[in-house]
Amino acid sequence: MTKNKELNILGADLEACCDNPVTGYFRDGFCRTIQEDSGTHILCAVMTQEFLDYTKSRGNDLTTPIPHWSFPGLKVGSKWCLCISRWLEAESAGKAPFVILEATHKKALEYTTLEVLQEYEAIV
């Protein structure tokens, strides 16, 4: 996977989140965004069963494969670029998944604090 010139929430180069399955708004493995990305897919998360069940209950089933989108469905332990608003909603509900700080875009700091994100830091 190639390097990205954008920055993460720690102020360093944004690292790739996942390439199997390939994630991100641009499906390039990076959690980065543009104005047309209404979901703002900037947070790299490690899926938990609690979060997968929660997001499915909110109308976003991430577990069911969608072959025509080359989406295999996520499992516990899968890494995925999440919409910051869904992560914040899950965090408020006590269902937030772990976060890979190095692969979470600096724009996330416009929505929450580094300290909150660090509370959910994934050990990878």
Side-chain angles (χ1 to χ4, degrees):
M1 207 168 269
T2 59
K3 286 288 263 179
N4 190 285
K5 296 177 189 148
E6 297 188 52
L7 298 178
N8 64 29
I9 60 174
L10 303 173
D13 289 342
L14 183 66
E15 293 183 12
C17 181
C18 184
D19 64 358
N20 186 20
V22 71
T23 189
Y25 179 77
F26 298 99
R27 291 300 190 259
D28 63 358
F30 291 91
C31 300
R32 57 195 188 92
T33 190
I34 57 174
Q35 187 173 355
E36 292 78 11
D37 174 14
S38 61
T40 315
H41 294 80
I42 55 175
L43 188 133
C44 181
V46 179
M47 297 299 102
T48 61
Q49 192 62 56
E50 191 173 43
F51 175 76
L52 290 169
D53 291 344
Y54 175 76
T55 195
K56 186 175 185 177
S57 78
R58 303 293 296 145
N60 187 18
D61 179 4
L62 295 175
T63 60
T64 301
I66 307 171
H68 70 273
W69 287 101
S70 299
F71 179 70
L74 301 179
K75 299 174 176 62
V76 171
S78 295
K79 297 174 188 168
W80 196 248
C81 293
L82 292 181
C83 299
I84 187 69
S85 58
R86 177 52 46 98
W87 187 87
L88 290 168
E89 179 186 301
E91 198 269 335
S92 291
K95 313 278 186 194
F98 299 111
V99 177
I100 300 176
L101 304 178
E102 297 82 1
T104 295
H105 195 279
K106 70 177 183 176
K107 189 172 181 66
L109 298 177
E110 295 176 18
Y111 299 87
T112 189
T113 66
L114 178 60
E115 293 76 22
V116 168
L117 294 169
Q118 286 174 322
E119 289 177 30
Y120 294 89
E121 183 175 5
I123 306 304
V124 289

